[in-house]
């Protein structure tokens, strides 16, 4: 069975509590359930991870992404400045889909710049939790 890695960055543990007008009222646990259900229907195994720490995310990816069919990542604030995460994604040389719950282009100017997106096949932004499901569909359809 194909395996994919789904990673969420800083403050996404606060989904449901954090700025619900932007990120909605559902929790990270709800997101994990949605991701696992969609993955199951696509015959994908999932390694699901969230951390508030850049280095821990990089350690997780280095350990768990090799051998997987690809990465779905919402780098959260790391999107906008983490060259270290960008380098990690490049080094892994796997299909990456970057996902944002909110539309990063419709918010503060500094959010519209993604340094990690250059390492991604594509970016889904602004479609809420559905973006993760679409990213899984994309990875499931790859050879
Ligand atoms: C986010 C957008 C980022 O700008 C922000 O720092 C986040 C979440 C999103 O999912 O919309 O933490 O990645």
């Amino acid at each position: 069975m194909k395996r994919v890695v789904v990673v969420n960055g800083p403050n996404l543990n606060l989904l449901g509590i954090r700025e619900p007008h932007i990120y909605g009222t559902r929790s990270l646990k709800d997101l994990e359930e949605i991701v696992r259900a969609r993955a199951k229907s696509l015959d994908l195994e999932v390694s699901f991870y969230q951390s508030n720490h850049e280095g821990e995310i990089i350690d997780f990816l280095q350990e768990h992404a090799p051998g997987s069919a690809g990465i779905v990542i919402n780098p959260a604030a790391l999107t906008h400045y983490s060259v270290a995460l960008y380098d990690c994604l490049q080094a892994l040389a796997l299909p990456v889909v970057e996902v944002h719950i909110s539309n990063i282009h419709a918010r503060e100017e500094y959010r519209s710049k993604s340094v990690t997106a250059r390492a991604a096949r594509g970016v889904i932004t602004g479609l809420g939790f559905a973006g993760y499901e679409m990213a899984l569909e994309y990875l499931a359809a790859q050879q």
Side-chain angles (χ1 to χ4, degrees):
M1 199 192 270
K2 263 186 173 181
R3 184 175 60 87
V4 297
V5 171
V6 178
V7 172
N8 285 289
N11 301 303
L12 292 171
N13 58 313
L14 297 180
L15 282 175
I17 299 164
R18 173 192 187 199
E19 299 179 279
H21 56 291
I22 296 174
Y23 300 112
T25 52
R26 291 177 298 176
S27 67
L28 181 65
K29 191 88 204 99
D30 295 333
L31 174 61
E32 182 171 355
E33 278 166 21
I34 287 164
V35 163
R36 289 197 184 282
R38 192 76 193 103
K40 196 172 174 201
S41 78
L42 293 165
D43 258 332
L44 295 171
E45 212 180 287
V46 185
S47 305
F48 192 92
Y49 183 71
Q50 187 277 331
S51 175
N52 293 327
H53 305 276
E54 180 183 43
E56 282 180 8
I57 290 171
I58 291 169
D59 285 345
F60 179 87
L61 286 168
Q62 287 186 8
E63 192 177 335
H64 297 275
S68 75
I71 300 165
V72 177
I73 187 162
N74 182 345
L78 298 172
T79 305
H80 313 300
Y81 65 86
S82 179
V83 176
L85 180 56
Y86 163 73
D87 285 346
C88 173
L89 294 170
Q90 283 288 76
L92 290 166
L94 289 163
V96 175
V97 183
E98 180 170 309
V99 173
H100 299 284
I101 295 165
S102 66
N103 179 353
I104 60 171
H105 302 295
R107 301 181 59 194
E108 298 94 332
E109 187 71 35
Y110 60 82
R111 290 188 201 276
S112 64
K113 167 84 183 156
S114 169
V115 302
T116 47
R118 285 180 74 109
R121 292 274 177 93
V123 180
I124 302 169
T125 187
L127 304 185
F129 288 6
Y132 292 78
E133 297 186 80
M134 292 169 193
L136 291 174
E137 278 170 40
Y138 172 78
L139 292 178
Q142 300 310 296
Q143 297 295 11

